Amino acid sequence: MNDSVIVSDSVKRFKWIGTRPIRPDGVPKVTGRALYGADLKLPGMIYGKVLRSPHAHARILKIDTSKAEALKGVKAVVTAQDLPEQKFEYIGPERVAVNFWHVTRNILAREKALYEGHAIAAVAAVSASIAEEAAALIEVEYEVLPHVIDVDEAMAPDAPLLFEDMVPRGMDGAKPSNIAKRLEFKMGDIDAGFAQADVVIEKEFKTAAVHQAYIEPHACVAKMEADGQGEIWSSSQGHFQMRALTAQILGAKIGDLRVTPAEIGGGFGGKTVTYLEPVAALLSRKAGLPVRLQMTREEVFKASGPTSGSSMWAKVGVTKDGKIVAGDVILKFQAGAFPGSPVMNACLCAFSPYDIPNARAVGYDVVSNRPKAAAYRAPGSPIGHFAVESVIDMCAKAIGMDPLDLRIKNVAGIGTPTIAGPKHAHAGFRETLEALRNHPGYTAKLGPNQGRGVACGYWFNGGGESSATFQLNADGTVLVATGSPDIGGSRASMALMAAETLGVDYDQVRAIVADTGSVGYTHVTGGSRVTFATGAAVVTATRSAIKELCKRAAMIWDVDPEGVVWEDGHAKPAGSNVGDFKPLSVKELAAKAAATGGPITTSAGVNAGAQAPGFSAQFCDLEVDPETGHVTILRYVVAQDVGKAIHPSYVEGQMQGGVVQGIGWALNEEYIYNSKGLLDNAGFLDYRCPVASDVPMIDTILVEVPNPAHPYGVKGVGEANICPPMAAIACAIEQATGKRMTELPMSPPRVLAALSEG
């Protein structure tokens, strides 16, 4: 592995930030003692099971639960009729708007079953086997309806409609269709831009829906009391969101629910969605007992959200000297059974890495008879980049320019406008591109049937609401509690930032993830926001604690608090005029806390803005077997602007993980439906994820251009890295074979078919 760190001159040197200490959650996980959503067992707990639709599209005429209710051992049976109806309205900013009318119907179907695996009813019984038997006894009368799976077919005028009264938003005068929304963003003059171009290339692309493929299936335990209060233990990326959504769906008060985060076995965006928690809580409320509810692997694939499949068209114009003068894309995304694909993200990200004066992006959010799409690592951006980066590569070849040189010539920098309106406020992309170009592998010689491909990616990165508390223990150790589920090493990062700020050793700080009743509101772990936003809350709380420690020292010395400064974990006199006092350590001040005012605890809540976007540049070398179409990845190098790597090993892991998922997306992964609209590959045996033998060691280049808006220069690192692989691999295949692949996955049969075309 050729890992390296390229440091900007503005990066400060720290004692703990940038080191690689042992992860605080490592021992419980490797010994099997960590508790996940399906591990908790409460006294009197019973077991839930969900009955799911066997049809892709069917009207629900009647549900008879009488036989299930009569089965011995059954304690509760629920359907959508047990949930209050929700108002039809979109709530929140357009990019993340929620419509609870849709949400409640995804949790338990009402008028229709809209995809195979759609939840119809649920039971709870004294054993899992009885619950499964009872679910099978529920009789559902369906009217099977025509279905539609492909996004282009769903947009056709004669396509079967999922919602007969759904009129597309953003398309005035349109008739009801499966198009939920049309979006358009533009800047400059598209026609004039293309008129300036010496070379114009346009191409159509298609991508398959792919699942996040986390190892741990969805699971939770709910315990509702007779007074309406309740507790939920859940493996999710945001227990505050699970609390709010469950309360909304049940018609309960948010304050009556307490949600405790279990350990989480992967999510990648897929566990920001609520599936089981309201159903488990409803069963518990009806049964008067705690209920555990969990999905099987088959249910995960059939009923939890993959990312969207797409149909796209991209057009790019360049001058002979490599200036990109115009870009245009049309992006059609599968939303699944309910509106809400990440097509807006794709529109906003597709051209953002570059300084393109004339650009337009049109997006369509389209429903079809698939499970509702969910976030997947930079949701929407990887799909849009597959199309745009592929066409940019074609433009580079057409004018005889190195693909990295073309991108460097058109790099977005501080002040570059974006199609969304705001101008870029951060640098880092140029440095990333240059670091990749300087990698020795970029000029290595290739052999027969081998190719090298380049692509780049962009993600906004997130900020938002986070909270943290700081507690100083009597022995001088520190407890930092946050509301961010640890899905990528955030406990280590929080401890590192607290230790650095306070000036104590890393092993003196313990970081935990607290339940909704023990720490302030915190938004989900997603969007590459946690190290930035929750880290800012931790630093703020720690700085408040330092102020309090200085006050305590002033009290001990009988001086004004302004006469005390904090340096390297000690309170010290600000100057010789204050007095000749021996510095007081954290441990000494903690020991005297009771005598100087009581416990030293602080808290902080932030709504962090000024986050910096993520830029990733990558190249891969591969070999194509001309007899089978099999693609072997030989070398993969990823360079990314990481701001400041708080824990470099975690950052490298994020970069490598995103690339490996992108390789799977590019070469193998896809949802395969049969003629009845049923999923044929709902399991890891047939849904082909990469394994260790499929990929080489991923070389990482950490480019550190710090974000001045964060105390330690943090930029989110978890998502930009999944954006380039699909295009990079397609470009490499083209160099190796002369064939431009435009449909994902680029599986052996598809590559072989392209080679056979002559």
Side-chain angles (χ1 to χ4, degrees):
M1 184 169 61
N2 184 26
D3 296 332
S4 60
V5 180
I6 297 175
V7 183
S8 165
D9 292 339
S10 57
V11 173
K12 297 179 180 178
R13 304 297 177 182
F14 301 104
K15 179 180 180 181
W16 288 108
I17 299 296
T19 62
R20 304 170 185 258
I22 294 174
R23 56 190 297 168
D25 56 326
V27 172
K29 287 181 176 176
V30 300
T31 59
R33 295 180 181 274
L35 294 177
Y36 294 83
D39 290 330
L40 184 67
K41 187 172 183 179
L42 299 179
M45 188 181 77
I46 57 177
Y47 302 84
K49 181 65 179 178
V50 175
L51 175 70
R52 300 184 180 276
S53 170
H55 306 294
H57 192 194
R59 199 177 312 279
I60 301 171
L61 303 178
K62 182 181 179 182
I63 302 176
D64 185 351
T65 62
S66 58
K67 292 181 180 178
E69 291 168 337
L71 183 66
K72 184 178 180 181
V74 171
K75 299 297 183 181
V77 181
V78 299
T79 69
Q81 300 306 312
D82 293 288
L83 294 173
E85 180 61 287
Q86 302 289 325
K87 185 178 180 181
F88 188 98
E89 62 178 346
Y90 288 91
I91 302 171
E94 186 65 26
R95 193 164 71 90
V96 291
V98 176
N99 188 328
F100 285 105
W101 192 90
H102 292 139
V103 173
T104 193
R105 281 163 173 75
N106 193 38
I107 288 169
L108 284 172
R110 294 198 178 214
E111 300 84 4
K112 285 182 175 182
L114 294 172
Y115 54 92
E116 182 198 12
H118 198 167
I120 304 296
V123 303
V126 296
S127 71
S129 60
I130 294 175
E132 189 169 353
E133 181 183 355
L137 291 174
I138 298 174
E139 297 177 352
V140 185
E141 185 179 342
Y142 295 103
E143 177 191 350
V144 179
L145 302 171
H147 66 274
V148 62
I149 297 294
D150 178 78
V151 64
D152 290 313
E153 293 174 0
M155 294 178 69
D158 59 348
L161 299 182
L162 276 70
F163 304 97
E164 288 79 5
D165 58 351
M166 189 172 74
V167 177
R169 293 188 290 154
M171 296 176 66
D172 294 339
K175 296 179 180 179
S177 75
N178 290 319
I179 302 172
K181 180 172 59 177
R182 180 188 183 275
L183 304 158
E184 182 172 345
F185 302 90
K186 58 184 177 180
M187 61 180 180
D189 187 326
I190 287 290
D191 293 334
F194 281 115
Q196 298 171 26
D198 297 308
V199 171
V200 175
I201 293 178
E202 59 181 290
K203 204 77 174 175
E204 293 182 347
F205 300 86
K206 294 204 77 164
T207 67
V210 297
H211 200 273
Q212 300 85 350
Y214 30 81
I215 295 300
E216 178 206 19
H218 296 264
C220 68
V221 174
K223 182 181 73 169
M224 300 297 291
E225 304 292 354
D227 60 1
Q229 298 188 64
E231 294 184 71
I232 297 173
W233 293 262
S234 173
S235 290
S236 81
Q237 293 178 236
H239 48 302
F240 284 88
Q241 176 169 290
M242 293 303 160
R243 179 183 66 165
L245 290 174
T246 300
Q248 176 73 32
I249 296 302
L250 293 182
K253 298 176 183 177
I254 290 178
D256 282 345
L257 295 179
R258 181 181 180 185
V259 182
T260 299
E263 289 289 354
I264 179 170
F268 312 108
K271 288 182 181 170
T272 59
V273 182
T274 302
Y275 299 106
L276 301 179
E277 288 80 2
V279 179
L282 185 63
L283 286 167
S284 177
R285 187 163 68 183
K286 198 166 187 178
L289 294 166
V291 173
R292 178 194 290 170
L293 193 57
Q294 61 193 90
M295 289 188 184
T296 64
R297 179 65 60 192
E298 183 176 338
E299 287 176 315
V300 169
F301 275 107
K302 290 184 176 180
S304 70
T307 192
S308 302
S310 73
S311 178
M312 301 177 287
W313 169 86
K315 179 180 178 182
V316 174
V318 298
T319 60
K320 291 178 181 178
D321 64 351
K323 174 59 183 173
I324 303 176
V325 290
D328 199 3
V329 290
I330 298 174
L331 310 170
K332 297 175 282 188
F333 276 32
Q334 299 160 349
F338 298 95
S341 74
V343 70
M344 179 182 282
N345 292 345
C347 288
L348 299 179
C349 291
F351 295 119
S352 284
Y354 306 108
D355 182 3
I356 304 176
N358 310 289
R360 176 174 59 191
V362 176
Y364 292 91
D365 184 40
V366 185
V367 297
S368 59
N369 296 114
R370 298 169 169 265
K372 168 79 173 68
Y376 182 17
R377 211 165 187 159
S381 185
I383 302 171
H385 279 304
F386 171 58
V388 170
E389 292 290 313
S390 294
V391 176
I392 287 176
D393 184 77
M394 296 167 71
C395 288
K397 286 181 170 60
I399 63 173
M401 192 171 185
D402 180 90
L404 269 179
D405 288 342
L406 184 143
R407 287 169 170 85
I408 291 172
K409 185 178 182 69
N410 293 279
V411 68
I414 295 175
T416 301
T418 68
I419 203 169
K423 296 179 179 180
H424 281 286
H426 297 273
F429 188 35
R430 179 181 296 277
E431 294 87 341
T432 301
L433 288 166
E434 291 173 346
L436 191 69
R437 184 174 60 180
N438 293 333
H439 189 280
Y442 190 63
T443 54
K445 186 177 180 180
L446 294 170
N449 303 314
Q450 294 180 358
R452 177 170 298 134
V454 170
C456 299
Y458 168 90
W459 180 244
F460 316 100
N461 286 337
E465 298 167 282
S466 284
S467 298
T469 64
F470 175 105
Q471 300 177 34
L472 182 61
N473 299 317
D475 61 355
T477 59
V478 172
L479 176 68
V480 174
T482 75
S484 293
D486 185 353
I487 200 169
S490 59
R491 278 172 289 201
S493 297
M494 298 306 128
L496 283 165
M497 285 185 276
E500 190 72 49
T501 305
L502 189 60
V504 299
D505 287 347
Y506 169 80
D507 60 9
Q508 294 297 104
V509 181
R510 184 186 179 199
I512 67 168
V513 184
D515 65 74
T516 57
S518 303
V519 71
Y521 175 81
T522 302
H523 192 43
V524 299
T525 296
S528 296
R529 62 169 294 277
V530 169
T531 307
F532 173 73
T534 306
V538 167
V539 172
T540 301
T542 305
R543 287 174 173 174
S544 295
I546 289 172
K547 289 181 181 180
E548 182 61 26
L549 287 165
C550 288
K551 290 180 182 178
R552 301 298 179 94
M555 186 181 300
I556 293 169
W557 294 334
D558 194 21
V559 300
D560 289 335
E562 292 76 14
V564 181
V565 296
W566 192 264
E567 293 179 3
D568 196 25
H570 291 76
K572 299 179 179 179
S576 58
N577 60 322
V578 176
D580 185 16
F581 301 110
K582 180 183 176 182
L584 290 170
S585 68
V586 172
K587 185 174 183 179
E588 290 169 323
L589 289 165
K592 297 182 179 182
T596 56
I600 298 174
T601 64
T602 60
S603 62
V606 302
N607 191 0
Q611 65 269 23
F615 295 103
S616 182
Q618 305 172 10
F619 79 83
C620 79
D621 294 348
L622 55 76
E623 183 174 321
V624 179
D625 186 334
E627 295 185 357
T628 65
H630 180 265
V631 174
T632 301
I633 305 295
L634 304 174
R635 182 204 310 270
Y636 208 107
V637 182
V638 49
Q640 185 169 326
D641 171 22
V642 302
K644 174 61 185 175
I646 302 299
H647 191 300
S649 295
Y650 273 126
V651 174
E652 290 160 1
Q654 289 286 345
M655 295 163 66
Q656 292 165 335
V659 166
V660 171
Q661 288 180 314
I663 290 172
W665 200 336
L667 296 179
N668 300 110
E669 297 183 40
E670 63 178 322
Y671 267 39
I672 300 173
Y673 284 92
N674 62 27
S675 60
K676 295 182 179 180
L678 308 182
L679 186 62
D680 276 344
N681 61 332
F684 283 139
L685 182 63
D686 298 308
Y687 181 91
R688 179 72 164 82
C689 288
V691 295
S693 58
D694 292 321
V695 293
M697 180 58 72
I698 311 298
D699 289 355
T700 60
I701 307 172
L702 280 60
V703 181
E704 294 192 325
V705 181
N707 175 9
H710 188 276
Y712 296 115
V714 167
K715 297 179 181 178
V717 301
E719 292 173 275
N721 38 66
I722 199 175
C723 301
M726 290 77 80
I729 291 170
C731 297
I733 291 175
E734 194 273 340
Q735 185 176 357
T737 65
K739 301 295 182 180
R740 174 64 60 171
M741 304 298 295
T742 59
E743 185 173 354
L744 299 183
M746 295 172 285
S747 57
R750 196 165 278 152
V751 173
L752 191 60
L755 294 175
S756 300
E757 291 175 358

